[in-house]
Amino acid sequence: MITSVVDLRPVENPQQALIRLDIIPRDQHCISRKNISDGALKVMSRLRSGGFQAYLVGGAVRDLLLGGRPKDFDIATDATPEAVTALFRNSRIIGRRFRIVHVRFGREIIEVTTFRGHHDTKLNESQQDEKGGNHSRQSASGLLLRDNVYGTLEEDAARRDLSVNALYYDSGKFEVFDHLHGLKDLENRTICIIGIPEQRYTEDPVRMLRVVRFAAKLDFSIDQQTAEAIPRCAHLLAEIPAARLFDEFLKLFLAGSAAKTLDNLLEYDLLRYLFPGTSQCIQQDDKALTLVQAAMGNTDERLAEGKHVTPAFILAALLWPIVSKQFEVLESSGEAPMVAMHSAAHSAITEAVKHISIPRRFSQPMREIWEFQLRLQRRSGRKAVELIEHRRFRAAYDFLLLREQAGEDTGELGSWWTEIQELPPEQRLEKAASMEDNHKRPKRIRKRRPNPAP
Ligand code: ATP
Ligand code: MG
């Protein structure tokens, strides 16, 4: 597949030693312009007309070469963000840690990034300003706080995360540029970090999550050195802001390969940096693992069928092992069930958000799904039938089935709610009425709180 080796880069830096520009001409790769969005083609063509370089890069090139459909189109250019915005009225600069330009075409957003360069730590900020108008910043531990040093195409390739994400497509000449054996890794179905793994994970620990995510999504194996450095660097994930971990959580579990991603996170012991409480429950209790696995499997199935999935449901499942354990403790100490559920939910969320942000628009439905598990226990009377109309019923019912699927004993509640939903509305009340007698469950025996000592 690789045909022409046109350049050998200097070997000043061990990372650059790997740089060897291979150009794959039009007739030797499968990328066709008709699979690229009009917006992306327009952006590249206008940048070229403005005298700049512009390439399709990242996931789009990778997925097109694998014969898949890219979910979005990213473009790399030598134009600065300001130069890009000057060319497109429908664009704006976003980000601080990593400044990029969003060019909007209706509902589609094309992300345009300026080639990233190597960090010259010897340069002071004003020298860096002279160099490119922007600069980088690293924390004492080596974490990249800002990454806005601009560079060449070759430098940009070396600063990307994985070799399979560092392939460039020139839509003017129809050529694919491969600097870092990305094509070889695509052919061998291998995820390989660019450069020295430990150094690249130190700069940005989220790359470890990206490694396991892409290995799951593409069903690739992980290169030995890329994998071996993970246990040594995993602790650095504790430095990542909770908001960024939440963004990454969405990509990990809402992209269609949640089950495989979970397996990889567990294999590399990375789940603990996202959900430490869950990770602990999973180690202690097989049922917790089964429940979380079932939730991920269901999510993947729903996505494959084109159904809607909400992060609230996945979060509810991930935190349920913690909530249900705490609920049992509180209930057996004499708390009323709703009160116990409320405070179990509160403490699970308070603990979780120390590590990963959970926006209120997700934490609220998540609480409701949990509290609904108690309401679903009531099967008699009009009130029970009315639950079906509640906006949270569907998610709560699915959650109940999930708990049963994971081996929780709910007294066959799930099949009762399945049957009643299948009945015409006028017969539902009758079925619920027939539960009237059964409903006379033994009164919950409240443990008396000991009287305070006289
Ligand atoms: P997809 O969009 O299908 O999830 P993608 O590879 O396009 O996959 P993005 O998150 O959209 O992933 O990032 C676009 C590109 O930017 C990547 O392909 C990679 O080259 C680069 N990139 C993203 N995140 C990092 C990172 N943390 N470190 C280095 N390069 C990165
Ligand atoms: Mg992308």
Side-chain angles (χ1 to χ4, degrees):
M1 202 169 177
I2 297 171
T3 54
S4 52
V5 177
V6 297
D7 195 3
L8 277 173
R9 304 284 115 188
V11 188
E12 288 157 5
N13 169 326
Q15 245 166 268
Q16 284 185 322
L18 296 167
I19 296 183
R20 210 174 89 131
L21 176 58
D22 295 329
I23 297 182
I24 298 93
R26 178 183 202 167
D27 58 349
Q28 289 179 40
H29 62 73
C30 62
I31 298 184
S32 155
R33 280 169 55 121
K34 66 175 193 299
N35 296 324
I36 301 173
S37 81
D38 290 344
L41 290 172
K42 255 186 227 160
V43 171
M44 287 188 279
S45 132
R46 196 175 304 170
L47 281 165
R48 280 198 305 269
S49 312
F52 298 107
Q53 299 177 54
Y55 303 92
L56 191 65
V57 68
V61 182
R62 178 197 69 217
D63 293 346
L64 287 169
L65 284 168
L66 288 171
R69 271 171 56 125
K71 84 177 180 1
D72 48 37
F73 293 90
D74 300 320
I75 286 164
T77 178
D78 58 350
T80 60
E82 289 73 17
V84 177
T85 47
L87 281 176
F88 299 95
R89 268 197 317 136
N90 49 336
S91 67
R92 64 192 182 104
I93 299 176
I94 62 152
R96 181 177 146 84
R97 187 182 151 274
F98 201 84
R99 292 170 82 230
I100 56 181
V101 179
H102 274 179
V103 186
R104 184 180 276 280
F105 294 93
R107 294 182 64 186
E108 188 185 20
I109 290 177
I110 306 293
E111 262 185 27
V112 184
T113 51
T114 305
F115 295 152
R116 294 296 184 272
H118 291 299
H119 299 267
D120 190 342
T121 43
K122 287 178 230 103
L123 290 185
N124 64 32
E125 291 203 351
S126 66
Q127 284 169 316
Q128 290 190 7
D129 279 345
E130 271 168 39
K131 245 191 132 188
N134 278 290
H135 36 260
S136 70
R137 217 147 61 82
Q138 259 170 309
S139 75
S141 63
L143 185 80
L144 268 184
L145 301 173
R146 228 182 281 168
D147 189 6
N148 289 309
V149 175
Y150 302 139
T152 61
L153 173 61
E154 289 78 4
E155 286 171 334
D156 187 72
R159 294 221 46 77
R160 290 185 178 267
D161 55 351
L162 312 174
S163 62
V164 293
N165 285 348
L167 292 157
Y168 296 73
Y169 176 68
D170 180 335
S171 63
K173 294 194 183 133
F174 310 101
E175 291 167 341
V176 171
F177 285 39
D178 179 14
H179 302 77
L180 295 146
H181 55 79
L183 275 171
K184 183 180 96 284
D185 288 337
L186 266 191
E187 282 167 10
N188 297 337
R189 307 179 68 79
T190 306
I191 293 297
C192 183
I193 190 116
I194 294 168
I196 302 161
E198 217 149 325
Q199 183 185 329
R200 303 306 310 287
Y201 295 150
T202 306
E203 280 173 8
D204 183 3
V206 168
R207 288 176 186 148
M208 288 178 274
L209 297 176
R210 291 179 61 89
V211 163
V212 297
R213 171 158 75 85
F214 285 113
K217 171 180 159 147
L218 304 171
D219 198 19
F220 277 22
S221 54
I222 303 178
D223 156 77
Q224 198 184 342
Q225 289 180 5
T226 302
E228 277 173 4
I230 294 181
R232 294 197 295 275
C233 301
H235 66 278
L236 299 169
L237 278 165
E239 274 196 60
I240 301 300
R244 185 156 180 232
L245 284 186
F246 180 74
D247 291 344
E248 209 49 41
F249 152 80
L250 296 176
K251 295 183 194 168
L252 287 162
F253 296 121
L254 283 157
S257 5
K260 185 83 195 6
T261 302
L262 175 75
D263 288 348
N264 286 354
L265 287 172
L266 292 172
E267 184 181 341
Y268 289 94
D269 199 15
L270 296 177
L271 189 70
R272 64 161 75 204
Y273 298 99
L274 297 158
F275 299 98
T278 312
S279 162
Q280 211 178 0
C281 287
I282 283 178
Q283 279 164 24
Q284 293 163 354
D285 178 4
D286 281 348
K287 264 214 234 109
L289 175 61
T290 317
L291 180 112
V292 177
Q293 278 173 330
M296 299 309 169
N298 291 358
T299 304
D300 291 342
E301 274 168 33
R302 288 184 70 91
L303 286 169
E305 290 163 14
K307 290 187 189 160
H308 171 75
V309 296
T310 159
F313 191 87
I314 304 174
L315 286 163
L318 277 162
L319 299 183
W320 179 248
I322 310 165
V323 173
S324 61
K325 206 159 107 186
Q326 179 70 358
F327 170 76
E328 276 170 28
V329 172
L330 293 171
E331 205 198 20
S332 61
S333 74
E335 288 287 10
M338 247 333 157
V339 177
M341 185 60 83
H342 197 82
S343 62
H346 179 76
S347 69
I349 295 174
T350 310
E351 203 41 48
V353 297
K354 288 182 188 161
H355 306 272
I356 188 163
S357 306
I358 305 181
R360 243 186 90 80
R361 66 180 185 285
F362 300 128
S363 63
Q364 193 48 37
M366 189 169 87
R367 282 172 198 272
E368 287 171 23
I369 289 171
W370 293 332
E371 287 171 10
F372 229 103
Q373 301 308 300
L374 297 177
R375 295 170 74 182
L376 289 176
Q377 284 177 3
R378 182 190 169 128
R379 286 181 279 179
S380 64
R382 183 171 296 279
K383 274 223 158 109
V385 174
E386 280 169 5
L387 281 187
I388 299 175
E389 308 303 326
H390 194 286
R391 74 195 160 98
R392 208 58 75 200
F393 174 80
R394 188 70 219 185
Y397 162 74
D398 285 345
F399 197 79
L400 175 68
L401 297 186
L402 182 73
R403 289 169 53 209
E404 289 185 349
Q405 201 181 330
E408 255 191 72
D409 181 9
T410 68
E412 294 181 15
L413 261 184
S415 47
W416 191 86
W417 283 104
T418 306
E419 281 164 30
I420 199 161
Q421 285 175 84
E422 283 162 0
L423 290 175
E426 63 281 5
Q427 287 176 30
R428 289 178 182 166
L429 202 56
E430 218 174 291
K431 183 171 168 76
S434 76
M435 288 305 293
E436 212 74 63
D437 293 336
N438 307 353
H439 181 59
K440 287 186 185 124
R441 284 176 291 159
K443 267 208 155 141
R444 222 168 40 80
I445 303 160
R446 278 216 181 204
K447 282 192 194 147
R448 277 178 184 277
R449 286 173 207 253
N451 285 333

